[in-house]
Amino acid sequence: MGKRDNRVAYMNPIAMARSRGPSQSAGPTIQDYLNRPRPTWEEVKEQLEKKKKGSRALAEFEEKMNENWKKELEKHREKLLGGNESSSKKKEKKKKEKKKSNRLSSSSSSSSSSDSSSSSSDSDDEDKKQGKKRRKKKYRSLRKSSESSTSDSESDSKDSTKKKKSKEEHEREKDNKSLSRKRKKIDRGNGPLSSESLSESDPTEEVSVKIRSRFQLLVQVKKKKNSEEREKVTDKTKKRKKHKKHGKKKKKKTAGSSSDSE
């Protein structure tokens, strides 16, 4: 039984494409792109001129707007200045009218002027008196407020001093109690002491003596620990030396026995 022939004929794709002929594409080709209609140089110049004209028209429109705005601003300024001038003129007219009326009144009634002057002086005196009274009231109110503030500050300071004193007394009592307890402990350990020695000894000296005794105890404990550690180290070194000597003796004995046997 022979093998089945599974071979397939090879078809060259390039040859197949050539046999089919040129493909009919839907879109434009390169030749169409190259042969597209193009504007002449004259048409390009016309387009550029149109663009320039458009920009010029915009600039002219902006200039006109600026001119109109400037005119409006000038009008508004003139109105404001005219209003100020008219108000100043009105004030001057009123002053002139007042002066004229004062002159007429002074020439017509001199006696009434004397009465008015006396009444004005009386009114001025009354105004001065009222001003003095107001000042006095303000001064009194300020003085009262300052006195109240000082009294409050004094009371606060007194309270703070009282608190400090009470704290100090409480601390002193605590110190005295602690000292009395310590004295009792010392009396129990060292036997009864005389009242004179207790009266003569100061609390500071007692504290210093206690500190010294504690320091001495600590030093003694440290010395003991150090001595014990040294003793341990010396014992270990001695044991090692003995072990080494014993090993050397054994080696010598073994060497002598081996030489004798030979």
Side-chain angles (χ1 to χ4, degrees), residues 221-259:
V221 170
K222 283 183 180 179
K223 284 181 179 178
K224 284 181 180 179
K225 284 182 179 179
N226 291 325
S227 62
E228 287 176 357
E229 286 177 357
R230 285 175 186 172
E231 287 176 357
K232 287 179 181 178
V233 171
T234 51
D235 292 334
K236 284 180 181 178
T237 51
K238 285 178 182 179
K239 285 178 181 178
R240 284 177 186 172
K241 286 179 181 179
K242 285 179 181 179
H243 188 66
K244 284 180 182 179
K245 286 179 182 179
H246 191 64
K248 285 178 181 179
K249 286 178 181 180
K250 279 184 177 180
K251 283 179 182 178
K252 285 179 181 179
K253 284 179 181 180
T254 54
S257 63
S258 62
S259 63

Side-chain angles (χ1 to χ4, degrees), residues 2-88:
K3 289 184 180 180
R4 188 177 289 178
D5 191 6
N6 292 323
R7 289 180 293 175
V8 181
Y10 175 71
M11 301 296 287
N12 192 355
I14 295 165
M16 293 284 286
R18 281 175 184 170
S19 66
R20 284 173 195 164
S23 62
Q24 294 178 358
S25 61
T29 60
I30 294 166
Q31 287 180 356
D32 294 334
Y33 179 73
L34 292 170
N35 294 324
R36 71 188 184 279
R38 297 179 185 178
T40 60
W41 181 240
E42 292 177 355
E43 291 176 351
V44 171
K45 282 182 179 178
E46 287 177 358
Q47 287 177 0
L48 290 169
E49 285 177 358
K50 283 180 181 178
K51 284 182 180 178
K52 285 180 182 178
K53 283 179 182 177
S55 62
R56 282 175 187 172
L58 217 167
E60 288 175 357
F61 176 73
E62 286 178 352
E63 285 177 358
K64 285 181 182 178
M65 289 291 288
N66 288 327
E67 287 177 358
N68 293 325
W69 181 246
K70 283 178 183 178
K71 287 178 181 178
E72 287 179 0
L73 284 172
E74 285 177 357
K75 286 179 182 179
H76 189 62
R77 284 174 186 168
E78 286 176 357
K79 283 180 182 179
L80 289 171
L81 292 168
N84 291 325
E85 286 177 356
S86 64
S87 63
S88 62

Side-chain angles (χ1 to χ4, degrees), residues 91-103:
K91 285 179 182 179
E92 287 176 357
K93 285 180 181 179
K94 284 180 180 179
K95 284 180 181 179
K96 286 179 181 179
E97 287 175 357
K98 282 182 180 179
K99 283 180 181 179
K100 286 179 182 178
S101 63
N102 288 325
R103 284 174 187 174

Side-chain angles (χ1 to χ4, degrees), residues 116-259:
S116 64
S117 64
S118 63
S119 64
S120 64
S121 64
D122 293 332
S123 64
D124 291 332
D125 292 332
E126 287 177 357
D127 292 332
K128 286 179 181 179
K129 286 178 181 179
Q130 288 178 358
K132 284 181 181 179
K133 286 179 180 178
R134 287 173 185 172
R135 287 174 187 172
K136 284 180 180 179
K137 284 180 180 178
K138 284 182 181 178
Y139 180 71
R140 285 174 184 173
S141 63
L142 291 169
R143 197 170 178 182
K144 285 179 181 179
S145 63
S146 64
E147 286 176 356
S148 64
S149 63
T150 52
S151 64
D152 292 332
S153 62
E154 286 176 357
S155 64
D156 292 333
S157 64
K158 285 179 181 178
D159 293 331
S160 62
T161 51
K162 284 180 180 178
K163 286 179 181 178
K164 285 180 181 178
K165 285 180 180 178
S166 64
K167 283 182 181 179
E168 288 177 356
E169 288 176 355
H170 189 63
E171 287 176 355
R172 283 177 186 173
E173 287 177 357
K174 282 184 178 180
D175 293 331
N176 291 322
K177 286 179 181 179
S178 63
L179 288 170
S180 64
R181 287 174 184 173
K182 287 176 182 178
R183 282 179 184 174
K184 285 178 182 178
K185 286 179 182 179
I186 291 162
D187 292 336
R188 287 173 185 174
N190 296 324
L193 291 171
S194 62
S195 62
E196 292 177 356
S197 63
L198 289 169
S199 63
E200 288 174 358
S201 63
D202 294 327
T204 55
E205 290 178 356
E206 288 178 358
V207 172
S208 63
V209 168
K210 288 177 183 178
I211 291 163
R212 285 175 188 171
S213 63
R214 286 179 183 174
F215 184 70
Q216 288 175 358
L217 289 169
L218 289 169
V219 170
Q220 288 176 1
V221 170
K222 283 183 180 179
K223 284 181 179 178
K224 284 181 180 179
K225 284 182 179 179
N226 291 325
S227 62
E228 287 176 357
E229 286 177 357
R230 285 175 186 172
E231 287 176 357
K232 287 179 181 178
V233 171
T234 51
D235 292 334
K236 284 180 181 178
T237 51
K238 285 178 182 179
K239 285 178 181 178
R240 284 177 186 172
K241 286 179 181 179
K242 285 179 181 179
H243 188 66
K244 284 180 182 179
K245 286 179 182 179
H246 191 64
K248 285 178 181 179
K249 286 178 181 180
K250 279 184 177 180
K251 283 179 182 178
K252 285 179 181 179
K253 284 179 181 180
T254 54
S257 63
S258 62
S259 63

